[in-house]
Amino acid sequence: MASQGRKAAITSGNEEGILARVSSTVSQSTVVYHGKKAASSSAYFTKRLAMSTGKAAWILGTSFLVLAVPFFITYDRDQQITEMEMQNASLLGTPPPATM
């Protein structure tokens, strides 16, 4: 019965337990506050960096499709035409056209 009296005295004076008091003390410390602030800032920076990187990749990809692909297609056509002219010239026995 003596142990029941001590338990009643400990819990009746404090509405929260020891674990709750320690938890609230830790969560209100400046170290936890600065840690949460740093984590939040890091997450925000990472999100912004990912969005910017995605936008840059989109711009570079579409620019490549619009500018470089037609150039490569035209270059390949010119190479094929030059090759065909050289084949025709060799079949006809005329000297090949001057190349640049």
Side-chain angles (χ1 to χ4, degrees):
M1 282 228 184
S3 65
Q4 289 179 351
R6 281 183 39 196
K7 283 185 182 177
I10 291 174
T11 57
S12 66
N14 297 331
E15 290 299 320
E16 17 178 87
I18 292 173
L19 186 58
R21 283 188 290 169
V22 170
S23 175
S24 68
T25 303
V26 168
S27 67
Q28 293 173 357
S29 74
T30 58
V31 173
V32 172
Y33 171 74
H34 290 297
K36 285 181 180 179
K37 187 175 178 183
S40 175
S41 297
S42 297
Y44 176 76
F45 175 74
T46 303
K47 181 180 175 183
R48 295 288 296 190
L49 180 65
M51 288 175 36
S52 297
T53 303
K55 287 179 183 178
W58 174 258
I59 290 170
L60 289 174
T62 54
S63 297
F64 178 77
L65 287 174
V66 169
L67 299 173
V69 171
F71 171 76
F72 289 130
I73 291 171
T74 305
Y75 183 77
D76 186 48
R77 280 188 193 159
D78 287 343
Q79 289 292 334
Q80 287 177 354
I81 290 172
T82 303
E83 185 178 314
M84 190 173 61
E85 287 176 352
M86 291 181 73
Q87 285 177 351
N88 287 341
S90 69
L91 289 175
L92 296 175
T94 59
T99 59
M100 292 184 189

